[in-house]
Amino acid sequence: MTRTTPARPVSVETVFPELAAHRGRTTRLHPRPGRPGLRDSHIGGPMLWPDDEPWPVCHEPHRRETEGYAPDEIRSARAAGARPRSRPWHGAGSPGEDGPVPFVGLAQFFRRDIPGLAPGPDGADLVQLFRCPSPHGPHAERRYHLRWRQAAETERAERFLAAPPEVPLLGREHELPEPCVLHPAEVDTYPWAEDDTLPAPLIARIDAWDDARAAEHGPDAPSYQHDLSIPPGWRVGGFPSWASTGPMAVDCAACATPMRLLLTAEGHETDGGSHSWVPLEDRDPSVRGRASVRGGPSVARPTRLHFGRDRDLHVFTCPTDPGHPPRWVLA
């Protein structure tokens, strides 16, 4: 089903004409629980992975856990609309103490499905995103892995991996993504308005406009950051949001070039401040405002994933050489 972003409650370029020079495009992915296939762009579905190629694993030490959730029991509980039961870790304890930990496949995107996806090394047009299921160190840091492929070449493999390796227990239920099909749709987007992301006089005018709207119409009045600049949820390209950290300089570690945003992963597709972005197909047309949103968790948190403390995971790549190491920023 098509997903249509509603018209913005205010024409931002009418209020701030100079924003036209900063306009960008982002592809909203609109994941919804489903049954994606090997050759589909998806979140949480089966990876297009040749059977003779080693699955990525994390070799670093991992933080010790005392209990966790079996992946198959998580799947069964979700199908039944219930919560999975936690189990104690037996034997040596945490995954990783007895050997490498297999990464969890989070998503794969083909440029044939998402034209806005930036090309990878040597024009690669398929990207696959992975996360280690276990935290690292005292600050529970995460490790991610990005694999680029030539889609046509990969699809010629004789056999594909039927079931990737999994750890017996996951520390949190939200480590396991729910298989989701995508409904890509491009929308206009504008930079986060803070620090030097836009000219200082323009940011001052945006802030003053937001304050005046809130004073006149109350806290639910549309605002630039929530309603007019950057949509929530999984998206490809566009501008990063900086709600938790404030804007950061993200430069390539190999060549110091400012990096570009490849994709953003987010645990929630909507929240109290961003409900205006919910697609028309997920609304009750007879009701206005936040109450019109329907679909429950399948719309609000379809992938079941979390990133940090409900932050955005921004994946950056080098525009000069996409083969340079990517950077992962929680914001």
Side-chain angles (χ1 to χ4, degrees):
M1 178 188 294
T2 300
R3 289 298 190 276
T4 308
T5 296
R8 297 299 76 218
V10 175
S11 172
V12 69
E13 290 186 20
T14 298
V15 181
F16 306 105
E18 57 267 58
L19 276 174
H22 301 276
R23 184 197 314 134
R25 296 287 278 177
T26 190
T27 304
R28 303 186 68 191
L29 299 181
H30 300 303
R32 297 294 183 269
R35 301 185 64 180
L38 280 173
R39 291 173 170 80
D40 296 329
S41 294
H42 62 66
I43 295 168
M47 292 291 194
L48 188 73
W49 196 270
D51 187 63
D52 60 355
E53 185 176 323
W55 187 259
V57 296
C58 183
H59 295 275
E60 296 185 32
H62 299 90
R63 193 176 70 173
R64 185 177 182 86
E65 302 281 1
T66 58
E67 61 180 10
Y69 301 84
D72 283 343
E73 292 183 0
I74 294 174
R75 296 183 181 102
S76 297
R78 288 177 180 175
R83 293 186 60 84
R85 183 180 63 175
S86 64
R87 296 179 175 276
W89 246 295
H90 298 291
S94 299
E97 293 185 354
D98 298 323
V101 171
F103 277 83
V104 173
L106 297 186
Q108 73 175 15
F109 304 135
F110 293 85
R111 198 157 71 245
R112 66 192 180 209
D113 300 324
I114 308 169
L117 181 68
D122 300 318
D125 56 353
L126 165 60
V127 66
Q128 296 169 320
L129 175 65
F130 301 82
R131 178 169 70 181
C132 177
S134 300
H136 298 70
H139 302 295
E141 297 175 353
R142 311 310 302 269
R143 299 292 182 265
Y144 294 90
H145 176 71
L146 206 64
R147 180 66 58 93
W148 286 100
R149 297 182 181 278
Q150 302 285 349
E153 178 182 330
T154 304
E155 289 175 322
R156 288 195 291 267
E158 292 185 6
R159 292 185 305 276
F160 297 99
L161 187 65
E166 291 183 325
V167 292
L169 295 179
L170 296 165
R172 301 289 185 273
E173 182 268 341
H174 62 246
E175 300 296 342
L176 186 71
E178 180 73 11
C180 287
V181 297
L182 307 181
H183 306 85
E186 289 192 346
V187 297
D188 288 334
T189 186
Y190 302 88
W192 188 262
E194 188 178 357
D195 294 347
D196 58 355
T197 58
L198 289 168
L202 177 55
I203 292 178
R205 288 178 55 218
I206 290 173
D207 289 344
W209 181 82
D210 278 349
D211 291 344
R213 297 276 299 185
E216 182 178 355
H217 301 287
D220 291 333
S223 69
Y224 177 82
Q225 304 287 47
H226 282 155
D227 301 282
L228 307 179
S229 59
I230 300 172
W234 284 72
R235 53 197 183 270
V236 165
F239 301 106
S241 53
W242 299 110
S244 298
T245 62
M248 301 169 58
V250 184
D251 298 329
C252 178
C255 67
T257 300
M259 303 184 87
R260 67 183 170 197
L261 181 64
L262 176 71
L263 64 92
T264 295
E266 190 172 349
H268 289 81
E269 291 291 303
T270 182
D271 57 34
S274 61
H275 64 88
S276 74
W277 292 97
V278 174
L280 296 175
E281 292 79 4
D282 298 313
R283 291 181 176 275
D284 181 345
S286 67
V287 181
R288 294 176 60 85
R290 190 180 311 175
S292 70
V293 179
R294 58 188 178 185
S298 67
V299 170
R301 197 165 70 88
T303 69
R304 302 294 187 100
L305 293 167
H306 280 182
F307 298 93
R309 296 182 177 179
D310 288 332
R311 294 185 177 184
D312 294 354
L313 171 69
H314 297 312
V315 182
F316 291 89
T317 56
C318 178
T320 301
D321 186 346
H324 287 168
R327 288 191 61 181
W328 323 91
V329 177
L330 283 172

